[in-house]
Amino acid sequence: MGEFDLIERFFKRPVQRAALGVGDDCALLQPAPGMQLAVSSDMLVEGRHFLSTVDPRALGHKALAVNLSDLAACGAKPLAFTLALALPADDAAWLEPFSQGLLALADAHGCELVGGDTTRGPLNICITVFGEVPRGQALLRSGAQAGDDIYVSGTVGDARLALEVFRGSLAMPQEVFTQARARMEQPTPRVALGLALRGVATAAVDVSDGLLGDLSHVLKASSVGARIEAAAALGLMACVDAPLSPAQRLDFALAGGDDYELVFTAPPSARGRVKGAVAHAQVQVTRIGSTTAAPGVQVVDAQGQPLDQRFGSFDHFG
Ligand code: ADP
Ligand code: MG
């Protein structure tokens, strides 16, 4: 199968909203009047972001999910994406499920594949997504005010749990591992929540590298600090039955990474509107603390005393 046959067979589909899709030198997008384009890229490299043994269908899903998660964090509605793919071989048995996983998630979000690039090389998947947001309404990292509530959507820490089992550093009962593995391999981008939080959240970020690490980007951009309640953070993992110590549970929840949940801030006066947004998006959120005028992050116990354990986040160059 040649490069063009491969594109034709697995990635070329009739255009829906874009003015021009796959097949010419450029795709053409037509944002609606008054809208800004939100653009983000994420690359997945074999051995770094996924294991060679991963199910290609799940990989297709995840490659787009991590990109949609960035649109969600900006409150942008998905429009289109491009796919740059380096493949070791033109293996239809791999491409078929990969493209199915990818395009099923794309269809679920009305996000169309409009172009890309295909080359032979070590497996590498780079997606660029385009979304739209009314001018001036994007959720930024820089809008948090001291005294805002801090929330996180869904559950965090489970992908890290699965990674540790894969690495052999932890053993888990099979059903716990299955649950954790699903969170690692098939994250759910919180697009509806991001849209519902426009005009409600003061700042937002998606959790890719670890809750505290990603939150720290918001804190820095907003010139505030944070107090995180350990009791709330302890309840953030989906794998409630995992045999973990409280310290491990806290570490995975606060610094695990690969979660693709949203962390956002909103003033206490907006609690009712946050509740409304959450109900509308049909996703659970947990209030885990508040921003502070003093810089830095403190994780505190039920008595408000700082825990002296240090939390980092997953840093690719660390
Ligand atoms: P060019 O040589 O102009 O860069 P290519 O020959 O690389 O164009 O690609 C031909 C067409 O197929 C282009 O419209 C490009 O956007 C599209 N394309 C290439 N690879 C992919 C892919 N993996 N998924 C979707 N579209 C692709
Ligand atoms: Mg090209």
Side-chain angles (χ1 to χ4, degrees):
M1 174 172 43
E3 174 188 340
F4 299 104
D5 300 328
L6 184 158
I7 296 165
E8 187 80 27
R9 178 161 164 200
F10 297 107
F11 301 115
K12 184 166 178 175
R13 314 191 47 217
V15 276
Q16 293 156 33
R17 279 174 306 164
L20 185 65
V22 170
D24 214 305
D25 294 308
C26 292
L28 296 174
L29 303 179
Q30 184 66 65
M35 293 293 196
Q36 290 180 315
L37 270 186
V39 182
S40 181
S41 296
D42 256 312
M43 182 154 62
L44 264 63
V45 177
E46 181 172 348
R48 182 79 210 175
H49 301 98
F50 61 90
L51 307 167
S52 58
T53 50
V54 73
D55 168 21
R57 189 181 307 270
L59 186 60
H61 171 101
K62 185 165 178 177
L64 183 60
V66 304
N67 279 278
L68 292 175
S69 180
D70 284 311
L71 290 184
C74 277
K77 184 168 172 290
L79 282 181
F81 69 107
T82 61
L83 169 68
L85 202 54
L87 294 169
D90 54 355
D91 176 3
W94 188 91
L95 280 159
E96 185 77 51
F98 172 81
S99 65
Q100 284 170 358
L102 178 86
L103 295 173
L105 184 66
D107 288 345
H109 289 277
C111 189
E112 55 185 330
L113 178 56
V114 294
D117 199 21
T118 306
T119 177
R120 197 177 283 270
L123 185 56
N124 190 330
I125 305 156
C126 183
I127 287 180
T128 298
V129 274
F130 302 84
E132 62 179 9
V133 58
R135 182 171 301 138
Q137 288 187 33
L139 301 173
L140 305 182
R141 297 178 175 187
S142 53
Q145 303 282 321
D148 279 355
D149 293 323
I150 301 172
Y151 300 87
V152 60
S153 67
T155 55
V156 292
D158 305 286
R160 173 65 183 281
L161 174 64
L163 182 65
E164 295 300 337
V165 175
F166 272 117
R167 283 174 171 166
S169 57
L170 273 181
M172 285 290 139
Q174 189 58 41
E175 58 286 4
V176 172
F177 177 56
T178 303
Q179 186 182 19
R181 183 175 180 173
R183 290 286 296 140
M184 178 171 88
E185 292 183 349
Q186 298 221 268
T188 306
R190 301 301 183 186
V191 173
L193 180 62
L195 294 178
L197 287 172
R198 280 182 196 161
V200 177
T202 49
V205 66
D206 69 317
V207 182
S208 50
D209 297 332
L211 198 167
L212 289 190
D214 288 310
L215 173 66
S216 73
H217 301 311
V218 167
L219 302 179
K220 190 168 174 216
S222 303
S223 304
V224 293
R227 268 166 73 93
I228 303 296
E229 293 157 20
L234 274 170
L236 286 175
M237 286 182 66
C239 294
V240 288
D241 294 330
L244 295 171
S245 70
Q248 275 175 318
R249 198 169 270 284
L250 209 50
D251 184 35
F252 286 2
L254 293 180
D258 230 13
D259 303 297
Y260 305 100
E261 294 294 347
L262 297 186
V263 177
F264 61 95
T265 55
S269 60
R271 281 182 191 171
R273 291 198 298 147
V274 169
K275 220 174 153 185
V278 163
H280 186 261
Q282 296 186 300
V283 48
Q284 94 181 44
V285 307
T286 308
R287 198 176 68 77
I288 55 166
S290 310
T291 56
T292 56
V297 179
Q298 281 196 328
V299 181
V300 299
D301 66 16
Q303 284 71 46
Q305 294 304 307
L307 302 182
D308 48 4
Q309 188 173 354
R310 287 181 48 104
F311 296 96
S313 78
F314 192 78
D315 176 342
H316 289 275
F317 296 97

